[in-house]
Amino acid sequence: MIVILKHNPDPGQLGGLLDWLREKGVTVHTSVGEANTILGLVGDTSRLDIDLIAALEIVEDVKRVQEPYKNANRKFHPEDTVVRVGDTQIGGGSLTVMAGPCSVESEEQVVTIAKAVKASGATMLRGGAFKPRTSPYAFQGLGETGLAYLRAAKEETGLPIVTELMDLSQLPLFQDVDVIQIGARNMQNFDLLKAVGHQEKPVMIKRGMSATYEEWLMSAEYVMAGGNENVILCERGIRTFESYTRNTTDLAAVPVLRRLTHLPIIVDPSHATGKSWLVEPLAMGAVAMGADGLLIEVHNNPSHALCDGPQSLRPEDFDHLAKKLLPLHSFVAGMEG
Ligand code: PEP
Ligand code: MN
């Protein structure tokens, strides 16, 4: 349920309403906007008399929210969420570019790539230390050592790090990580979602391969219900009958999510297509759709990459793409503004 308050509500009456709601066992999230303040009520609101609340002097309107996700719902929080990471921000009109190798392979590799992508305009460094691989015989990532190499690259370049957390036990190793990635395969690992909801680092949730928008938003809801509101969503393609591309890129996710939620939206054209030559057109399409950012795999030697070489851009290809992204983003922002 959402309660839309009149402008400048009487503080005494508002305090009385909040106390009464809490007595009824409901949690209240307050969203202060330019025009109105909205109270988002979470919990069992079935016993609340909607007419009684609507009749209060300070209340403009009361609506039941049908969607099962509340904290992630734009109705609860009409203004876009902006996630701040170091000196950079995700959402709020900026274009975030997360770039780096699929897997961290050596310190030299990740530092070299980090320097190159930073020079081209990337705002964050991505790289997997713990890798979810379909085959148990494939390279599984360097683990804790990989995190140390990412840290070295962050020290060299200043780029914040985004990397995947696969298991709860790895969380204590993530102190220097800036954004925790929950991979597609773990989108519905509810214990993992609860755990990252109880800590403060921003969390980027990749869309599960067969997840509906609602299931994906419910995963965000798990994190937010734990108290962590810094959630970012990443479209990385879904599994369909089409096998030419690794996944089918659902660019409609950008405007659909923009309507349903206030959370920032990132598109990953690398995993979404599996082919390096498709990364540029899909990245441009995502920016034209209004995405808040991109996640792009970059490798200095894709043919020798230990993971996802065929979809990785060489640093010079990334540079070429990055030079097109910023003007396109400014153009799209200008049309909207
Ligand atoms: C990744 O970003 O390297 C990754 C494994 O992505 P996804 O979970 O989308 O497959
Ligand atoms: Mn990858």
Side-chain angles (χ1 to χ4, degrees), residues 107-306:
E107 181 167 338
E108 197 201 349
Q109 174 240 19
V110 73
V111 171
T112 306
I113 297 172
K115 283 184 180 165
V117 297
K118 167 140 193 204
S120 300
T123 53
M124 296 189 68
L125 173 66
R126 68 138 283 135
F130 296 97
K131 293 302 305 174
R133 302 303 301 276
T134 302
S135 166
Y137 309 118
F139 176 59
Q140 303 287 308
L142 296 178
E144 195 171 351
T145 309
L147 291 178
Y149 295 161
L150 281 171
R151 195 157 49 234
K154 177 177 166 177
E155 275 161 20
E156 281 276 340
T157 60
L159 288 177
I161 301 166
V162 50
T163 193
E164 179 163 354
L165 176 76
M166 281 178 55
D167 187 81
L168 269 175
S169 61
Q170 296 153 1
L171 196 51
L173 305 172
F174 274 52
Q175 281 114 331
D176 295 315
V177 169
D178 298 280
V179 173
I180 297 176
Q181 175 172 319
I182 300 295
R185 293 154 189 83
N186 268 320
M187 190 206 83
Q188 286 190 316
N189 182 337
F190 299 116
D191 284 338
L192 197 57
L193 296 172
K194 282 184 203 165
V196 294
H198 287 119
Q199 57 81 58
E200 287 181 350
K201 288 184 195 293
V203 177
M204 182 169 78
I205 306 178
K206 297 193 97 180
R207 182 180 188 176
M209 290 181 205
S210 61
T212 63
Y213 298 132
E214 187 166 296
E215 287 163 341
W216 189 11
L217 288 166
M218 288 309 285
S219 297
E221 192 71 17
Y222 259 94
V223 178
M224 299 177 86
N228 186 352
E229 306 208 324
N230 287 318
V231 178
I232 304 147
L233 299 166
C234 177
E235 166 64 46
R236 46 78 73 208
I238 47 174
R239 184 69 67 83
T240 69
F241 54 82
E242 181 55 72
S243 58
Y244 183 80
T245 45
R246 182 176 179 184
N247 292 292
T248 295
T249 318
D250 179 14
L251 282 187
V254 179
V256 171
L257 291 176
R258 189 68 78 213
R259 173 176 288 226
L260 299 180
T261 182
H262 50 90
L263 299 173
I265 307 154
I266 301 290
V267 173
D268 167 0
S270 306
H271 293 90
T273 62
K275 296 184 195 299
S276 59
W277 64 274
L278 281 172
V279 170
E280 178 168 318
L282 270 294
M284 302 286 278
V287 172
M289 285 281 185
D292 296 298
L294 297 162
L295 186 160
I296 295 175
E297 286 190 342
V298 179
H299 197 284
N300 48 346
N301 190 352
S303 58
H304 285 83
L306 296 181

